Amino acid sequence: VTPNTINQLDITLVVGKQELEVISTPSEAQIFIDDDYKGNTPFTVRGLVLGSHNIRLVKKGERFLDYTGTVEIKNDAVNSLSIQLQRAPTKDLEVRSSPSGASLYIDGVLYGQTPFTAEDLLIRNYQLRLEMDERFFQYTSEIEIKNDVDNSLDIQLQKAPRLLVKSTPEGASIHIPEGTSLSSFWLTPSDTIYLAKTGKIEVVLKEEGYKDYKDSVNVVPGGLEEIDAVLEKITSITITSSPSGATIDIREINGER
């Protein structure tokens, strides 16, 4: 500073920044500070502005609860955070079915055959499916695993409708466009055909030299329907003439063509 002069001072304020060491048990948890991903524990986050920050630890793919909290970054201290992640609560699910022996799927994963206890399921909703052989409908449902109750299910599987088909003559192919869970055709006389849905079912019989036979049945769970068809033969004649090339005119006589 000199007398009788204007003295100017330029000052640039620097925002204080510090480091934060983050440790977790178990390790390899993802670190989010103010919703920004920084790395996996153990990790030292650098360049944090002094003051309060939100922090979240996420252990993906394993059964630990997320940690959320705040941390105060100070200029005159060693900033460190050590977190013990808490295990997520789990419960068992006991599944019984009538009849037993159904395949149990939870979220598309096969667990076993009923009766079965699925252990250590997280507290949340799941998609449950039971599959038996063709004699029974598939069972599907969304279930909720709760923490404060015994989770158990008793499921009565619904019987599939049944169909028997005969024809005269025998050997006609049976076509069911919708409603079957396996092959779409059989030959008459059929063994028991198990249907995969209820309500109106269309049935078509085909045999070379005969008109297609069409019928429908209304089926209910566990019910049995029968079709006994008489196939209508296709009549054909061979006409020749000399000389050839004559026009053929076929007319109805007494209502018959």
Side-chain angles (χ1 to χ4, degrees):
V1 178
T2 59
N4 302 318
T5 61
I6 298 174
N7 298 279
Q8 181 175 326
L9 182 64
D10 292 324
I11 300 175
T12 301
L13 298 178
V14 178
V15 178
K17 294 185 179 181
Q18 267 287 6
E19 299 178 350
L20 173 65
E21 182 184 17
V22 185
I23 300 170
S24 72
T25 304
S27 60
E28 293 301 325
Q30 294 178 327
I31 305 167
F32 294 87
I33 294 182
D34 296 332
D35 292 329
D36 290 331
Y37 172 71
K38 298 299 183 180
N40 288 5
T41 61
F43 189 78
T44 298
V45 183
R46 294 178 171 83
L48 290 177
V49 176
L50 302 181
S52 182
H53 296 269
N54 295 319
I55 183 168
R56 178 164 55 96
L57 301 185
V58 178
K59 181 69 173 172
K60 279 198 168 184
E62 298 190 35
R63 299 184 172 197
F64 291 92
L65 297 175
D66 293 354
Y67 169 84
T68 58
T70 59
V71 60
E72 189 74 20
I73 302 300
K74 299 178 180 180
N75 193 37
D76 56 353
V78 176
N79 299 285
S80 64
L81 189 65
S82 181
I83 301 297
Q84 174 71 55
L85 297 177
Q86 301 299 310
R87 285 194 173 273
T90 61
K91 292 286 285 188
D92 295 346
L93 171 65
E94 185 178 2
V95 182
R96 297 176 293 272
S97 71
S98 180
S100 60
S103 297
L104 169 64
Y105 293 84
I106 299 177
D107 282 352
V109 177
L110 176 62
Y111 273 68
Q113 312 293 319
T114 59
F116 189 86
T117 299
E119 299 178 343
D120 297 329
L121 295 178
L122 294 173
I123 308 303
R124 63 175 179 87
N125 289 353
Y126 295 86
Q127 290 295 326
L128 181 141
R129 184 172 84 249
L130 292 183
E131 291 183 358
M132 200 72 176
D133 57 38
E134 62 179 358
R135 298 172 300 159
F136 296 89
F137 282 139
Q138 181 184 105
Y139 174 89
T140 59
S141 178
E142 183 179 65
I143 61 169
E144 180 184 4
I145 300 299
K146 298 180 180 180
N147 192 34
D148 54 352
V149 298
D150 290 331
N151 297 278
S152 64
L153 292 172
D154 287 283
I155 298 168
Q156 177 69 54
L157 296 177
Q158 199 173 51
K159 290 183 178 181
R162 296 165 293 159
L163 178 65
L164 291 173
V165 184
K166 297 186 293 184
S167 71
T168 302
E170 297 180 348
S173 61
I174 306 166
H175 299 260
I176 305 176
E178 297 181 358
T180 59
S181 57
L182 299 176
S183 174
S184 60
F185 76 93
W186 296 257
L187 296 178
T188 60
S190 70
D191 294 328
T192 300
I193 300 172
Y194 291 94
L195 303 172
K197 71 173 189 176
T198 59
K200 187 177 181 179
I201 301 293
E202 302 290 340
V203 181
V204 180
L205 303 185
K206 295 178 179 287
E207 176 66 53
E208 186 176 354
Y210 292 84
K211 295 181 179 180
D212 288 355
Y213 177 92
K214 299 181 179 180
D215 200 354
S216 63
V217 290
N218 285 297
V219 295
V220 297
L224 174 64
E225 297 292 333
E226 297 186 31
I227 293 177
D228 192 350
V230 177
L231 305 183
E232 183 180 349
K233 195 167 187 178
I234 298 173
T235 303
S236 64
I237 58 174
T238 301
I239 301 175
T240 60
S241 69
S242 182
S244 61
T247 300
I248 301 172
D249 184 10
I250 300 177
R251 302 183 181 183
E252 292 186 359
I253 301 176
N254 296 326
E256 295 184 359
R257 193 172 176 85

